[in-house]
Amino acid sequence: MTHKIILDTDPGIDDAMAIFFAFQHPEIEVLGLTTVYGNVPVTMSAHNALVLCEMAGENVPVTKGVGMPWVGKESGYAHFVHGDNGFGNVPVNSPKGELDPRSSAQFIVDMARKYPGEVTLVAIGPLGNLALALRLEPELPKLVKQVVIMGGAAFVPGNVTPVAEANIWNDAYAAEIVFAADWKLTMFGLDVTLSTSFNQEFLDKLESLNPTLGGFVNQTSQFYIDFYSANREDRVCFFHDTMPLAYLVQPELFKIVSGNARVSTDPLNIGQTTVAPPGTTASPEWLNAKSIEVAVGVDEAKLKALYCETYAQ
Ligand code: RIB
Ligand code: CA
């Protein structure tokens, strides 16, 4: 089965690994990369997406999307995680390609209308483009097949605050809109993405299997590993963004639970994703909230094997 997807992204080192996986996997058809601010400003996200397409030899539309949160001022960027250029300060050539003139939100709506019921939205950055697309086209939930996101932390602590994960924290009001929409949403949060770490041996293997794309992931991940290993005994990193894509092609690798989900927008807990599994609450606040699917476990060995065989294609 081929999955038609739009990848909404803020590249970003782990975004790059995910984008290459999507381009490489034979069962994934990438309709376009829609960029958003998050790890880096949106102009850099868009530039970096064009660079990644050219590095992979892919000629797909790339759009520039929202550069600000739904509410509030411009947030800080994660250059301390992804480097000044979003690629771990590894120099890259300026892209030759041009951006598609549409906004990311408009592109999402156009593709959903063109392929009704067929498109999976894979969001691996803050959710402002999806929220805006919902405002542009209120029927969007009926037009897309499903939404899978990297974001949130259901039953584990956050990575930006004790309760909030970066993609949700960066645009909590947009996330609230996206989580409440009437579409099938599957969340790959820190519950599952921090359960699987990647070391230098894995990176070297990826490079041996695909010197161009694996080599770039290896090079750029050195900065990323330094960040993650600062307070750890072992030198590892976490490829958060590839998990939603792995789920599309091998869902059996994941343990999924359902629950009614709320996104907090109060100042202290802004960006917290709270999920109430069935039978755990009588609170109308949660019982009336939308039910989503949440990944809470993965077969680590089979996941890594999938990544390697896909890069080796
Ligand atoms: O919290 C991890 C998420 O935030 C990943 O998508 C990473 O790329 C950053 O966007
Ligand atoms: Ca990302």
Side-chain angles (χ1 to χ4, degrees), residues 10 14-15 39 82 124-126 150 159 165-167 190 240-241:
D10 60 337
D14 62 322
D15 297 69
N39 287 324
H82 296 270
I124 55 176
M150 189 281 136
N159 59 0
E165 177 278 331
N167 287 338
L190 301 178
H240 306 275
D241 288 340

Side-chain angles (χ1 to χ4, degrees), residues 8-140:
D8 194 71
T9 178
D10 60 337
I13 293 166
D14 62 322
D15 297 69
M17 196 276 189
I19 290 166
F20 290 157
F21 176 90
F23 284 151
Q24 287 282 115
H25 199 286
E27 292 174 22
I28 294 177
E29 178 189 354
V30 180
L31 296 176
L33 301 184
T34 51
T35 64
V36 63
Y37 81 96
N39 287 324
V40 297
V42 69
T43 46
M44 189 177 284
S45 286
H47 168 277
N48 289 355
L50 286 171
V51 167
L52 296 171
C53 287
E54 287 174 23
M55 202 175 287
E58 296 285 343
N59 180 23
V60 300
V62 175
T63 60
K64 184 159 78 84
V66 299
M68 295 283 286
W70 203 257
V71 171
K73 62 187 189 312
E74 188 171 3
S75 66
Y77 303 106
H79 291 296
F80 60 99
V81 182
H82 296 270
D84 293 341
N85 70 348
F87 288 144
N89 300 329
V90 171
V92 291
N93 296 326
S94 295
K96 298 181 185 61
E98 299 282 320
L99 291 174
D100 184 293
R102 289 169 285 188
S103 70
S104 293
Q106 188 60 57
F107 182 82
I108 290 168
V109 170
D110 289 352
M111 290 302 106
R113 287 172 177 161
K114 184 175 180 183
Y115 302 108
E118 296 182 51
V119 179
T120 293
L121 303 182
V122 182
I124 55 176
L127 294 170
N129 291 329
L130 273 68
L132 188 53
L134 282 164
R135 291 293 183 266
L136 282 177
E137 173 50 88
E139 296 301 303
L140 190 64

Side-chain angles (χ1 to χ4, degrees), residues 146-163:
Q146 64 176 327
V147 178
V148 291
I149 73 166
M150 189 281 136
F155 310 109
V156 297
N159 59 0
V160 174
T161 75
V163 296

Side-chain angles (χ1 to χ4, degrees), residues 145-223:
K145 181 177 179 183
Q146 64 176 327
V147 178
V148 291
I149 73 166
M150 189 281 136
F155 310 109
V156 297
N159 59 0
V160 174
T161 75
V163 296
E165 177 278 331
N167 287 338
I168 308 300
W169 179 83
N170 260 312
D171 205 341
Y173 284 86
E176 189 181 35
I177 292 167
V178 170
F179 273 58
D182 189 19
W183 45 25
K184 180 176 184 283
L185 187 144
T186 308
M187 174 181 129
F188 293 79
L190 301 178
D191 311 81
V192 68
T193 68
L194 286 180
S195 73
T196 302
S197 63
F198 297 87
N199 60 18
Q200 190 59 52
E201 183 186 352
F202 174 85
L203 291 169
D204 291 340
K205 183 168 184 189
L206 219 54
E207 179 162 6
S208 68
L209 293 168
N210 190 320
T212 302
L213 306 185
F216 185 71
V217 171
N218 192 358
Q219 274 187 294
T220 55
S221 293
Q222 298 311 306
F223 187 96

